[in-house]
Amino acid sequence: MKQRIGIVGAGRMGANMARHLKDEGYTISAIYDVQQQVAEEVAKELGAQCATNLPTVTAASDVVITVVTDDEAMRDIFKIQGDTLLADAEGVTFINCATLSPEVHQDAAQAAQAVGAKSLEAAMASSITQARNGTLYLMIGGEEVVFEEHKELLECMSTALRYVGPTGAAAKVKALVNMVMNINTAALAEGLGLGEALGLDLEMLREIFSQTGANSRVLETDAEDMMIRDHECYFSAEHAAKDSGIANDLAKSAGISVPLSEATEAQYKKMIELGLGDLDKSGIAELTFKGRGA
């Protein structure tokens, strides 16, 4: 019998993960979001209970998938007392999917263990479409035995599943993935912006980039959007700034210099300051193309 799945964080990633699991025959038992209207809409669509507090999600579920915004939000849902997922959580497994610091994942895992619950971190190197289709790239941290217990569920959510080590390891890997991705995105925006300013044909430039050392995954996903200024959000500039910041904090703790990543974080923070934080990360081109006024 498939597990009952609760969802905490019903934004675009959490909601689409829930939709896919529902399609695959899982019972979506409860939906919670700090924006109650969002939770109500997704719960109604999926035939789930709309939870007004966190203990309700835990009570209704065998597995709770969390997708929250930042470390503070994660600490709040796993606090020791009050409105918390830890209330009567013995036997429940928490799968925490947000990109957060390794420390907060470790703290949540310890808090869950203290009340007889289990946990995994499931870092997602994918976006909204992959969440909906069950083709996420998932990097799993936690106890390997817990990973094996929930492998069927995790494989249902992913097209590529990788166990990377104890709790905290997946957060470190994901921070580095996003650090490099964000640097590549910023570099591409500068290259295309400079190319346009020099009067070059950007379609030609993109083609040459794709066949040379300038090639990258973000060239495939973001170049056209940068050129036509289509910044519909799949991964926001605000999240890019947060994730680059996590990587830069890790670098400081390791005594490693990362000037490119620090410059990239500064660019995404500038977008936030200019009111562009809700744009997709491709919106960094608004800072680099001549005449765009940023």
Side-chain angles (χ1 to χ4, degrees), residues 268-283:
Y268 279 113
K269 284 184 173 180
K270 184 176 180 181
M271 287 184 67
I272 296 170
E273 292 168 5
L274 293 170
L276 305 177
D278 290 337
L279 297 183
D280 188 78
K281 64 181 172 62
S282 65

Side-chain angles (χ1 to χ4, degrees), residues 2-3 20-27:
K2 292 184 176 181
Q3 301 110 316
H20 174 71
L21 290 173
K22 173 80 171 180
D23 290 346
E24 293 298 315
Y26 286 89
T27 297

Side-chain angles (χ1 to χ4, degrees), residues 53-152:
N53 56 59
L54 294 168
T56 298
V57 181
T58 303
S61 308
D62 303 305
V63 174
V64 177
I65 296 173
T66 72
V67 194
V68 297
T69 54
D70 53 28
D71 283 12
E72 182 180 359
M74 185 73 159
R75 294 190 190 283
D76 187 59
I77 65 175
F78 283 104
K79 57 182 175 286
I80 302 302
Q81 295 180 329
D83 187 14
T84 171
L85 288 172
L86 298 176
D88 298 319
E90 185 175 359
V92 174
T93 298
F94 300 105
I95 299 179
N96 302 312
C97 297
T99 301
L100 306 168
S101 69
E103 291 79 15
V104 80
H105 276 292
Q106 291 165 341
D107 290 346
Q110 291 170 5
Q113 185 178 36
V115 297
K118 302 175 183 178
S119 68
L120 292 169
E121 53 171 338
M124 304 179 291
S126 309
S127 192
I128 299 163
T129 302
Q130 291 76 31
R132 182 64 183 89
N133 295 336
T135 55
L136 293 167
Y137 191 110
L138 289 179
M139 298 160 285
I140 309 300
E143 293 185 15
E144 193 163 7
V145 65
V146 180
F147 166 67
E148 293 294 339
E149 287 174 5
H150 295 84
K151 198 169 184 179
E152 181 180 346

